[in-house]
Amino acid sequence: MKQPLSGWRGGTARLTRALEPAIAIPAALLVVAEIVVLLLGIVARYVFHAPIVWTDELAGILFLWLAMLGSVIAFQRGEHMRMTAIVGMLAPGTRAFLDVVAIAASLAFLLLVIHPAYDFAVDEVYIRTPALDIVNSWRAAALPVGIGLMLIVALLRLAVIADMRKVLTAIALVGALVAVLAFLAPVLKPLGNLNLLIFFVFLVGAMVFVAVPIAFAFGLATVGYLTLTTSTPSVVVIGRMDEGMSHLILLAVPLFVFLGLLIEMTGMARAMVSFLASLLGHVRGGLQYVLVGAMYLVSGISGSKAADMAAVAPVLFPEMKARGAKPGDLVALLSATGAQTETIPPSLVLITIGSVTGVSIAALFTGGLLPGIVLAVMLCAVVWWRYRREDLSHVKRATGREIGRAFVIAIPAVALPFVIRAAVVEGVATATEVSTIGIVYSMLAGLLIYRQFSWRRLYPMLVETASLSGAILLIIGAATGMAWALTQSGFSASLAKTMTALPGGVPMFLAVTIVAFVILGSVLEGIPAIVLFGPLLFPIARQVGVHEVHYAMVVVLAMGIGLFAPPFGVGYYAACAISRINPDEGMKPIAAYMIALLIGTIIVAVVPWISIGFL
């Protein structure tokens, strides 16, 4: 039995526990406030034809606070995105030490930016918001408050670690690295763009591979690069982070994450899966086809891949195992469908692309539907080959009445993606606001139709939404700062020159893009790779004659393959965690699915009509 902590460690642990609700409750209330404010704007504009001018502004202010408090919750829970594939292979003692190093590196970043964040918030006092006419410091204060709270959490996390020698060694190691770089500043400045290699390849690479959270790795490298090799003040990093996290379109991130959790809780996802299973359950590989189809449908409601997989897998996997499917093949197919459905609106990756490149969100949502179908067909071809001899003698075929009943039950759930799409196309709501319509629809369906609505689960879901959103948005902020530093260094101009000079024209450009984003997706995850390289590569795509929506689909599909492919893809390990299957079991079966996805991606790249035919 685990002994309770005593003395000052016990006091620190109690303080940590007390801090959790103090941050989680305001964050949960901010999610609710965002939903209410945006819904109020829709009702006022569309129903009463009397637009409220301050709703977007208030939503923007609340959103930055939600992003920062969500980042704090993610930091408390250890949920910030990081690559653990290499660290996971090491001995337990080494792994534990590197976990402490990751906290120490995060602490170093927070210490370096806390004062610039305060200065940034103070400077915003001279700016007044146009609609509410209040000083912008009310919004900007979220940055120093959030960074300050993460600083406290980092110190508390270090304080409760039993092995104080590990803590001191980790702090000394990170401190020594910072000191050495600061000492070498006079040597680094004359090196010019060679510093990009030192800070953004070697330093970021080292931090990512030892499992420092990606947002903090990006932030620490950017602050180091700008402070030690340029005359740019640190407050600029905070300004760029604020800019990256404050795009109004990103408001859709927490709302679609919450919507994904909601459809699982209300039973809507189960209803969709049950209908598809009644249709196809009796054919060879039928439930595998259902998994592919269900992920496509559920992805049309939720923006979060983890939420999609969590909604579908528990419904299908028990019956699939009963039919003799191997656990490794199940998790391999689940992971592959995660990559296959990355372009299905309202994909968070598409929303991110729209926010950082200026491509129309509506066009991206329209263009993403067919590529998902092409990849689904490729996956189904592999399923057909693998399960062509499946024994179904014990499986009873659903009667017409059973299929009809399942369809009637599923109608409200199946209708939701069409409701969301119609609301955007008909001008009822923007791509940012439409998720609130989906939330209200799902709540009503859960309460009145499916009679599955647990009020007790609502608070944990709101906190989960804040945590996941905070982790995503902090990465977007840090990656925006890093992308700005790369642009200012002249790297983007050099990259554009190199890419446009590639022999082979458009085909070679797209081939290099696919290879690059498969690698970036596996190492950096999807959203950081998009934020970093989207603003650099999309103008080049236009320059060489590739339609921006077509290019977006190629980028997202290639990135999805990297994200969900072992041994580095974080999405693959998320699929394993959700399905409670050992990652080793899926390594071999996933190869065929990944090859199928790669062939599908090449088809989408070669045939632009698949992406832009319905624009």
Side-chain angles (χ1 to χ4, degrees), residues 478-506:
T480 302
M482 190 166 157
W484 181 85
L486 287 170
T487 305
Q488 295 303 306
S489 70
F491 172 77
S492 55
S494 305
L495 181 69
K497 193 175 177 182
T498 306
M499 294 290 276
T500 49
L502 284 171
V506 170

PDB file of all heavy atoms in Angstrom, residues 478-506:
ATOM      1  N   ALA A 478       3.245  28.758 -29.358  1.00  0.00           N
ATOM      2  CA  ALA A 478       4.704  28.593 -29.380  1.00  0.00           C
ATOM      3  C   ALA A 478       5.207  28.396 -30.809  1.00  0.00           C
ATOM      4  O   ALA A 478       6.246  28.950 -31.195  1.00  0.00           O
ATOM      5  CB  ALA A 478       5.109  27.399 -28.512  1.00  0.00           C
ATOM      6  N   ALA A 479       4.463  27.619 -31.608  1.00  0.00           N
ATOM      7  CA  ALA A 479       4.872  27.373 -32.995  1.00  0.00           C
ATOM      8  C   ALA A 479       4.759  28.641 -33.838  1.00  0.00           C
ATOM      9  O   ALA A 479       5.554  28.853 -34.760  1.00  0.00           O
ATOM     10  CB  ALA A 479       4.026  26.263 -33.598  1.00  0.00           C
ATOM     11  N   THR A 480       3.793  29.504 -33.514  1.00  0.00           N
ATOM     12  CA  THR A 480       3.662  30.781 -34.223  1.00  0.00           C
ATOM     13  C   THR A 480       4.889  31.655 -33.964  1.00  0.00           C
ATOM     14  O   THR A 480       5.425  32.292 -34.878  1.00  0.00           O
ATOM     15  CB  THR A 480       2.378  31.525 -33.792  1.00  0.00           C
ATOM     16  OG1 THR A 480       1.252  30.691 -34.043  1.00  0.00           O
ATOM     17  CG2 THR A 480       2.209  32.834 -34.556  1.00  0.00           C
ATOM     18  N   GLY A 481       5.342  31.686 -32.701  1.00  0.00           N
ATOM     19  CA  GLY A 481       6.553  32.431 -32.363  1.00  0.00           C
ATOM     20  C   GLY A 481       7.766  31.883 -33.101  1.00  0.00           C
ATOM     21  O   GLY A 481       8.579  32.645 -33.646  1.00  0.00           O
ATOM     22  N   MET A 482       7.876  30.566 -33.164  1.00  0.00           N
ATOM     23  CA  MET A 482       9.005  29.930 -33.855  1.00  0.00           C
ATOM     24  C   MET A 482       8.938  30.195 -35.358  1.00  0.00           C
ATOM     25  O   MET A 482       9.965  30.476 -35.994  1.00  0.00           O
ATOM     26  CB  MET A 482       8.977  28.427 -33.575  1.00  0.00           C
ATOM     27  CG  MET A 482      10.206  27.665 -34.030  1.00  0.00           C
ATOM     28  SD  MET A 482      10.193  26.020 -33.263  1.00  0.00           S
ATOM     29  CE  MET A 482      11.216  25.129 -34.413  1.00  0.00           C
ATOM     30  N   ALA A 483       7.738  30.105 -35.938  1.00  0.00           N
ATOM     31  CA  ALA A 483       7.572  30.371 -37.376  1.00  0.00           C
ATOM     32  C   ALA A 483       7.941  31.818 -37.708  1.00  0.00           C
ATOM     33  O   ALA A 483       8.554  32.093 -38.744  1.00  0.00           O
ATOM     34  CB  ALA A 483       6.122  30.087 -37.792  1.00  0.00           C
ATOM     35  N   TRP A 484       7.593  32.747 -36.806  1.00  0.00           N
ATOM     36  CA  TRP A 484       7.940  34.165 -37.013  1.00  0.00           C
ATOM     37  C   TRP A 484       9.461  34.341 -37.012  1.00  0.00           C
ATOM     38  O   TRP A 484      10.015  35.051 -37.850  1.00  0.00           O
ATOM     39  CB  TRP A 484       7.305  35.019 -35.915  1.00  0.00           C
ATOM     40  CG  TRP A 484       7.586  36.482 -36.070  1.00  0.00           C
ATOM     41  CD1 TRP A 484       6.899  37.381 -36.837  1.00  0.00           C
ATOM     42  CD2 TRP A 484       8.655  37.220 -35.448  1.00  0.00           C
ATOM     43  NE1 TRP A 484       7.457  38.625 -36.731  1.00  0.00           N
ATOM     44  CE2 TRP A 484       8.540  38.568 -35.890  1.00  0.00           C
ATOM     45  CE3 TRP A 484       9.684  36.894 -34.570  1.00  0.00           C
ATOM     46  CZ2 TRP A 484       9.417  39.567 -35.474  1.00  0.00           C
ATOM     47  CZ3 TRP A 484      10.555  37.879 -34.157  1.00  0.00           C
ATOM     48  CH2 TRP A 484      10.418  39.196 -34.603  1.00  0.00           C
ATOM     49  N   ALA A 485      10.125  33.661 -36.063  1.00  0.00           N
ATOM     50  CA  ALA A 485      11.593  33.747 -35.995  1.00  0.00           C
ATOM     51  C   ALA A 485      12.228  33.193 -37.274  1.00  0.00           C
ATOM     52  O   ALA A 485      13.180  33.780 -37.807  1.00  0.00           O
ATOM     53  CB  ALA A 485      12.101  32.977 -34.774  1.00  0.00           C
ATOM     54  N   LEU A 486      11.687  32.082 -37.784  1.00  0.00           N
ATOM     55  CA  LEU A 486      12.194  31.499 -39.025  1.00  0.00           C
ATOM     56  C   LEU A 486      12.001  32.454 -40.205  1.00  0.00           C
ATOM     57  O   LEU A 486      12.876  32.604 -41.056  1.00  0.00           O
ATOM     58  CB  LEU A 486      11.492  30.165 -39.323  1.00  0.00           C
ATOM     59  CG  LEU A 486      11.882  28.976 -38.437  1.00  0.00           C
ATOM     60  CD1 LEU A 486      10.943  27.806 -38.674  1.00  0.00           C
ATOM     61  CD2 LEU A 486      13.325  28.550 -38.712  1.00  0.00           C
ATOM     62  N   THR A 487      10.845  33.116 -40.227  1.00  0.00           N
ATOM     63  CA  THR A 487      10.553  34.059 -41.315  1.00  0.00           C
ATOM     64  C   THR A 487      11.496  35.256 -41.262  1.00  0.00           C
ATOM     65  O   THR A 487      12.043  35.682 -42.285  1.00  0.00           O
ATOM     66  CB  THR A 487       9.087  34.546 -41.228  1.00  0.00           C
ATOM     67  OG1 THR A 487       8.229  33.401 -41.225  1.00  0.00           O
ATOM     68  CG2 THR A 487       8.723  35.426 -42.397  1.00  0.00           C
ATOM     69  N   GLN A 488      11.695  35.815 -40.055  1.00  0.00           N
ATOM     70  CA  GLN A 488      12.555  36.996 -39.900  1.00  0.00           C
ATOM     71  C   GLN A 488      14.011  36.696 -40.252  1.00  0.00           C
ATOM     72  O   GLN A 488      14.746  37.574 -40.683  1.00  0.00           O
ATOM     73  CB  GLN A 488      12.482  37.522 -38.457  1.00  0.00           C
ATOM     74  CG  GLN A 488      11.115  38.062 -38.053  1.00  0.00           C
ATOM     75  CD  GLN A 488      10.647  39.175 -38.965  1.00  0.00           C
ATOM     76  OE1 GLN A 488      11.341  40.167 -39.169  1.00  0.00           O
ATOM     77  NE2 GLN A 488       9.460  39.021 -39.545  1.00  0.00           N
ATOM     78  N   SER A 489      14.406  35.433 -40.086  1.00  0.00           N
ATOM     79  CA  SER A 489      15.798  35.066 -40.372  1.00  0.00           C
ATOM     80  C   SER A 489      16.087  34.972 -41.865  1.00  0.00           C
ATOM     81  O   SER A 489      17.239  34.850 -42.271  1.00  0.00           O
ATOM     82  CB  SER A 489      16.112  33.710 -39.728  1.00  0.00           C
ATOM     83  OG  SER A 489      15.415  32.679 -40.412  1.00  0.00           O
ATOM     84  N   GLY A 490      15.015  34.999 -42.677  1.00  0.00           N
ATOM     85  CA  GLY A 490      15.200  34.831 -44.122  1.00  0.00           C
ATOM     86  C   GLY A 490      15.105  33.388 -44.558  1.00  0.00           C
ATOM     87  O   GLY A 490      15.242  33.059 -45.744  1.00  0.00           O
ATOM     88  N   PHE A 491      14.810  32.482 -43.594  1.00  0.00           N
ATOM     89  CA  PHE A 491      14.716  31.056 -43.914  1.00  0.00           C
ATOM     90  C   PHE A 491      13.591  30.788 -44.906  1.00  0.00           C
ATOM     91  O   PHE A 491      13.734  29.967 -45.817  1.00  0.00           O
ATOM     92  CB  PHE A 491      14.498  30.256 -42.626  1.00  0.00           C
ATOM     93  CG  PHE A 491      14.190  28.802 -42.858  1.00  0.00           C
ATOM     94  CD1 PHE A 491      15.200  27.914 -43.188  1.00  0.00           C
ATOM     95  CD2 PHE A 491      12.894  28.319 -42.747  1.00  0.00           C
ATOM     96  CE1 PHE A 491      14.923  26.573 -43.408  1.00  0.00           C
ATOM     97  CE2 PHE A 491      12.606  26.984 -42.967  1.00  0.00           C
ATOM     98  CZ  PHE A 491      13.626  26.108 -43.292  1.00  0.00           C
ATOM     99  N   SER A 492      12.450  31.479 -44.726  1.00  0.00           N
ATOM    100  CA  SER A 492      11.298  31.220 -45.600  1.00  0.00           C
ATOM    101  C   SER A 492      11.623  31.572 -47.045  1.00  0.00           C
ATOM    102  O   SER A 492      11.219  30.871 -47.981  1.00  0.00           O
ATOM    103  CB  SER A 492      10.061  31.993 -45.122  1.00  0.00           C
ATOM    104  OG  SER A 492      10.349  33.358 -45.030  1.00  0.00           O
ATOM    105  N   ALA A 493      12.364  32.669 -47.228  1.00  0.00           N
ATOM    106  CA  ALA A 493      12.745  33.065 -48.595  1.00  0.00           C
ATOM    107  C   ALA A 493      13.678  32.023 -49.212  1.00  0.00           C
ATOM    108  O   ALA A 493      13.538  31.651 -50.386  1.00  0.00           O
ATOM    109  CB  ALA A 493      13.422  34.431 -48.569  1.00  0.00           C
ATOM    110  N   SER A 494      14.606  31.518 -48.390  1.00  0.00           N
ATOM    111  CA  SER A 494      15.536  30.483 -48.882  1.00  0.00           C
ATOM    112  C   SER A 494      14.787  29.195 -49.208  1.00  0.00           C
ATOM    113  O   SER A 494      15.062  28.541 -50.221  1.00  0.00           O
ATOM    114  CB  SER A 494      16.602  30.176 -47.831  1.00  0.00           C
ATOM    115  OG  SER A 494      17.277  31.343 -47.444  1.00  0.00           O
ATOM    116  N   LEU A 495      13.811  28.844 -48.346  1.00  0.00           N
ATOM    117  CA  LEU A 495      13.017  27.642 -48.575  1.00  0.00           C
ATOM    118  C   LEU A 495      12.211  27.764 -49.861  1.00  0.00           C
ATOM    119  O   LEU A 495      12.143  26.826 -50.659  1.00  0.00           O
ATOM    120  CB  LEU A 495      12.089  27.400 -47.380  1.00  0.00           C
ATOM    121  CG  LEU A 495      11.201  26.156 -47.443  1.00  0.00           C
ATOM    122  CD1 LEU A 495      12.033  24.883 -47.337  1.00  0.00           C
ATOM    123  CD2 LEU A 495      10.146  26.173 -46.332  1.00  0.00           C
ATOM    124  N   ALA A 496      11.606  28.948 -50.052  1.00  0.00           N
ATOM    125  CA  ALA A 496      10.810  29.183 -51.265  1.00  0.00           C
ATOM    126  C   ALA A 496      11.678  29.039 -52.514  1.00  0.00           C
ATOM    127  O   ALA A 496      11.268  28.419 -53.505  1.00  0.00           O
ATOM    128  CB  ALA A 496      10.182  30.577 -51.212  1.00  0.00           C
ATOM    129  N   LYS A 497      12.870  29.582 -52.443  1.00  0.00           N
ATOM    130  CA  LYS A 497      13.788  29.526 -53.592  1.00  0.00           C
ATOM    131  C   LYS A 497      14.168  28.074 -53.908  1.00  0.00           C
ATOM    132  O   LYS A 497      14.195  27.650 -55.061  1.00  0.00           O
ATOM    133  CB  LYS A 497      15.045  30.349 -53.272  1.00  0.00           C
ATOM    134  CG  LYS A 497      15.931  30.626 -54.466  1.00  0.00           C
ATOM    135  CD  LYS A 497      17.078  31.550 -54.072  1.00  0.00           C
ATOM    136  CE  LYS A 497      18.018  31.784 -55.257  1.00  0.00           C
ATOM    137  NZ  LYS A 497      19.163  32.626 -54.877  1.00  0.00           N
ATOM    138  N   THR A 498      14.447  27.302 -52.846  1.00  0.00           N
ATOM    139  CA  THR A 498      14.844  25.900 -53.028  1.00  0.00           C
ATOM    140  C   THR A 498      13.696  25.066 -53.595  1.00  0.00           C
ATOM    141  O   THR A 498      13.888  24.281 -54.527  1.00  0.00           O
ATOM    142  CB  THR A 498      15.299  25.288 -51.682  1.00  0.00           C
ATOM    143  OG1 THR A 498      16.324  26.118 -51.133  1.00  0.00           O
ATOM    144  CG2 THR A 498      15.813  23.882 -51.851  1.00  0.00           C
ATOM    145  N   MET A 499      12.495  25.258 -53.015  1.00  0.00           N
ATOM    146  CA  MET A 499      11.344  24.443 -53.432  1.00  0.00           C
ATOM    147  C   MET A 499      10.916  24.759 -54.865  1.00  0.00           C
ATOM    148  O   MET A 499      10.517  23.858 -55.605  1.00  0.00           O
ATOM    149  CB  MET A 499      10.165  24.660 -52.472  1.00  0.00           C
ATOM    150  CG  MET A 499      10.414  24.153 -51.071  1.00  0.00           C
ATOM    151  SD  MET A 499      10.469  22.358 -50.922  1.00  0.00           S
ATOM    152  CE  MET A 499       8.747  21.944 -50.769  1.00  0.00           C
ATOM    153  N   THR A 500      10.953  26.034 -55.248  1.00  0.00           N
ATOM    154  CA  THR A 500      10.548  26.393 -56.612  1.00  0.00           C
ATOM    155  C   THR A 500      11.597  25.965 -57.638  1.00  0.00           C
ATOM    156  O   THR A 500      11.281  25.812 -58.824  1.00  0.00           O
ATOM    157  CB  THR A 500      10.301  27.912 -56.737  1.00  0.00           C
ATOM    158  OG1 THR A 500      11.422  28.613 -56.178  1.00  0.00           O
ATOM    159  CG2 THR A 500       9.045  28.333 -56.017  1.00  0.00           C
ATOM    160  N   ALA A 501      12.828  25.756 -57.182  1.00  0.00           N
ATOM    161  CA  ALA A 501      13.899  25.350 -58.104  1.00  0.00           C
ATOM    162  C   ALA A 501      14.000  23.831 -58.251  1.00  0.00           C
ATOM    163  O   ALA A 501      14.850  23.331 -58.979  1.00  0.00           O
ATOM    164  CB  ALA A 501      15.236  25.906 -57.617  1.00  0.00           C
ATOM    165  N   LEU A 502      13.128  23.081 -57.548  1.00  0.00           N
ATOM    166  CA  LEU A 502      13.186  21.621 -57.632  1.00  0.00           C
ATOM    167  C   LEU A 502      12.925  21.149 -59.060  1.00  0.00           C
ATOM    168  O   LEU A 502      11.996  21.640 -59.719  1.00  0.00           O
ATOM    169  CB  LEU A 502      12.130  20.987 -56.710  1.00  0.00           C
ATOM    170  CG  LEU A 502      12.417  20.979 -55.202  1.00  0.00           C
ATOM    171  CD1 LEU A 502      11.184  20.529 -54.445  1.00  0.00           C
ATOM    172  CD2 LEU A 502      13.589  20.053 -54.879  1.00  0.00           C
ATOM    173  N   PRO A 503      13.701  20.198 -59.571  1.00  0.00           N
ATOM    174  CA  PRO A 503      13.406  19.660 -60.902  1.00  0.00           C
ATOM    175  C   PRO A 503      12.126  18.826 -60.861  1.00  0.00           C
ATOM    176  O   PRO A 503      11.799  18.233 -59.835  1.00  0.00           O
ATOM    177  CB  PRO A 503      14.627  18.770 -61.192  1.00  0.00           C
ATOM    178  CG  PRO A 503      15.156  18.392 -59.846  1.00  0.00           C
ATOM    179  CD  PRO A 503      14.860  19.554 -58.942  1.00  0.00           C
ATOM    180  N   GLY A 504      11.385  18.806 -61.951  1.00  0.00           N
ATOM    181  CA  GLY A 504      10.182  17.973 -61.997  1.00  0.00           C
ATOM    182  C   GLY A 504       8.907  18.734 -61.730  1.00  0.00           C
ATOM    183  O   GLY A 504       7.810  18.164 -61.786  1.00  0.00           O
ATOM    184  N   GLY A 505       9.011  20.045 -61.405  1.00  0.00           N
ATOM    185  CA  GLY A 505       7.820  20.888 -61.273  1.00  0.00           C
ATOM    186  C   GLY A 505       6.882  20.461 -60.165  1.00  0.00           C
ATOM    187  O   GLY A 505       7.312  20.019 -59.083  1.00  0.00           O
ATOM    188  N   VAL A 506       5.560  20.538 -60.437  1.00  0.00           N
ATOM    189  CA  VAL A 506       4.523  20.270 -59.432  1.00  0.00           C
ATOM    190  C   VAL A 506       4.615  18.852 -58.865  1.00  0.00           C
ATOM    191  O   VAL A 506       4.539  18.666 -57.642  1.00  0.00           O
ATOM    192  CB  VAL A 506       3.113  20.548 -60.012  1.00  0.00           C
ATOM    193  CG1 VAL A 506       2.021  20.047 -59.061  1.00  0.00           C
ATOM    194  CG2 VAL A 506       2.929  22.044 -60.252  1.00  0.00           C
TER     195      VAL A 506
END
